[in-house]
Amino acid sequence: MNKEIERVNDLNFVLYIVFTTGQCNLRCDYCGGSFDPGVVPWGVKYPLEALVSLISEDPDPVVAFYGGEPLLNARFIREVMDSVEARFVIQTNGLLVRQLEPEYWRRFDAVLLSIDGRKEVNDRHRGKGVHDAVLAAAGWLREVGYKGDLIARMTVTEDTDVYEDVRYLLNLGLFDHVHWQLDAVWSDRWRDFEGWARGSYEPGITALADLWLREMEGGRILGIVPFLGVLRVDLTGVPNESPPCGAGRSAVAISTDGRILACPIAVYSEWAVMGDVREGIGEGPRIGEPCVSCPYFRYCGGRCLFAYFERYWGEMGFELLCELTKHLIDEVRSRLPRILELIELGIVRREALIYPKFNNTTEIIP
Ligand code: SF4
Ligand code: SF4
């Protein structure tokens, strides 16, 4: 099998999302907690050398630890970090941050902590006390000298007010960036997705874009990842990948059983299997029509490979999500002329607006 996976992002990084376990210490209602150990084993079942050999062939790898809750297997994280040269990223719920020693934390480039926003919104879905525990974890990471990118990773549900919750997280002063994913397509818990989308989400995105620009007028760049990820296309002239998370192209996930998957969510999907860590990486699935002919494709990249293939919500659901994506892209792009003026005037630096600098697992399009 071909071990070289396609390098299509502007900076040529390849992201290896490494599952350390299928087990989780929480049972958030979006995903229900741990994976079935028969599908994603709760321990790593392939030899470390296989992973090291795969990653070591790469001149500039990014390794992101993932689970379940990756810190439930901190030993494996240490082993990998002691064996490969890479940029390191982790997606964690933060409850077990002390399982890993500060000297390891200081070597991370990006830490994504799962938090949905205000306490009542977060704890309704993730469990009582979780919000406070995440903030304590963020504070502790800074205390022990973690200087990398600290990213709040939100799951957006019907309870989310995107304006209020993103603003809340930014105002905490703990996080460098805030990113969100819609709990859409794989979830059937929405009461009225369309009503929420038009009555809350779309106006919330507009208000957030207004706030983003207002702050920029004063020289402050709010780290709102979906906005920055769309803006990056116009600032660099390089289209976003398809899909923008890189799934199956510049990003692969390695499950604890050794399977190489295009997307870390797609553990049950045959279409996502691209190989095995012991054998190498083969061809990945690709996004096709209607996305490749869509005028928003440069920015959206087809949004999400998993949603594209699974279509749990059918065509209508797909199209509704497209509307939300287009709305977000339009809100960013309509502010582009003023942003370019602010760069010209020296109020904000172009370089500081280009984010992410490498694929740090923030998927750009919510
Ligand atoms: S907006 Fe919809 S159709 Fe267009 S690229 Fe994105 S997902 Fe595909
Ligand atoms: S955005 Fe979609 S395809 Fe990409 S990693 Fe997330 S679920 Fe997978």
Side-chain angles (χ1 to χ4, degrees), residues 162-176:
V162 75
Y163 177 73
E164 289 300 339
D165 286 301
V166 170
R167 209 168 57 113
Y168 169 80
L169 290 170
L170 290 168
N171 285 343
L172 289 172
L174 281 168
F175 297 104
D176 301 299

Side-chain angles (χ1 to χ4, degrees), residues 35 50 83 115 123 155 169 174 187 206 252 267 332 338 340 346:
F35 285 113
S83 309
I115 182 166
D123 287 3
T155 300
L169 290 170
L174 281 168
S187 166
T206 304
V252 288
V267 295
V332 173
R338 182 60 187 154
L340 293 175

Side-chain angles (χ1 to χ4, degrees), residues 102-137:
E103 57 266 34
Y104 285 95
W105 282 116
R106 289 193 285 266
R107 290 172 56 198
F108 277 91
D109 290 278
V111 173
L112 291 94
L113 292 176
S114 303
I115 182 166
D116 298 341
R118 294 162 297 171
K119 185 172 180 164
E120 61 278 16
V121 175
N122 184 80
D123 287 3
R124 194 174 303 148
H125 296 280
R126 295 189 182 270
K128 201 163 183 281
V130 172
H131 166 277
D132 292 356
V134 178
L135 296 196

Side-chain angles (χ1 to χ4, degrees), residues 26 52 55 57 76 79 106-107 118 130 167 192 197 221 251 276 283 292 311 332 339 348 362:
L26 287 179
V52 172
I55 295 172
E57 284 180 24
F76 185 71
E79 285 173 0
R106 289 193 285 266
R107 290 172 56 198
R118 294 162 297 171
V130 172
R167 209 168 57 113
D192 176 15
I221 299 170
D276 187 284
E283 276 291 298
V292 290
R311 304 271 169 123
V332 173
I339 293 172
V348 283
T362 53

Side-chain angles (χ1 to χ4, degrees), residues 287-288 290-292 294-297 300-304 308 318 321-323 325-326 329:
I287 282 180
C291 297
V292 290
C294 170
Y296 289 81
F297 187 63
C300 170
R303 184 177 167 263
C304 166
Y308 180 86
F318 188 84
L321 281 160
C322 291
E323 273 185 45
T325 300
K326 290 172 182 174
I329 293 169

Side-chain angles (χ1 to χ4, degrees), residues 47-175:
L48 175 68
E49 299 70 49
L51 181 70
V52 172
S53 143
L54 185 88
I55 295 172
S56 303
E57 284 180 24
D58 197 306
D60 227 340
V62 181
V63 172
F65 297 106
Y66 193 89
E69 168 45 52
L71 290 169
L72 283 170
N73 193 356
R75 186 180 54 78
F76 185 71
I77 295 176
R78 278 185 216 101
E79 285 173 0
V80 174
M81 291 182 78
D82 290 342
S83 309
V84 296
E85 288 285 320
R87 289 166 190 258
F88 292 108
V89 174
I90 187 168
Q91 283 198 16
T92 171
N93 62 38
L95 269 66
L96 302 172
V97 277
R98 290 168 196 252
Q99 293 295 310
L100 202 59
E101 297 72 16
E103 57 266 34
Y104 285 95
W105 282 116
R106 289 193 285 266
R107 290 172 56 198
F108 277 91
D109 290 278
V111 173
L112 291 94
L113 292 176
S114 303
I115 182 166
D116 298 341
R118 294 162 297 171
K119 185 172 180 164
E120 61 278 16
V121 175
N122 184 80
D123 287 3
R124 194 174 303 148
H125 296 280
R126 295 189 182 270
K128 201 163 183 281
V130 172
H131 166 277
D132 292 356
V134 178
L135 296 196
W140 182 81
L141 285 169
R142 290 306 193 199
E143 254 168 53
V144 301
Y146 170 66
K147 295 204 167 53
D149 192 3
L150 197 53
I151 304 165
R153 192 174 195 287
M154 305 166 66
T155 300
V156 163
T157 66
E158 214 161 3
D159 295 322
T160 306
D161 178 322
V162 75
Y163 177 73
E164 289 300 339
D165 286 301
V166 170
R167 209 168 57 113
Y168 169 80
L169 290 170
L170 290 168
N171 285 343
L172 289 172
L174 281 168
F175 297 104

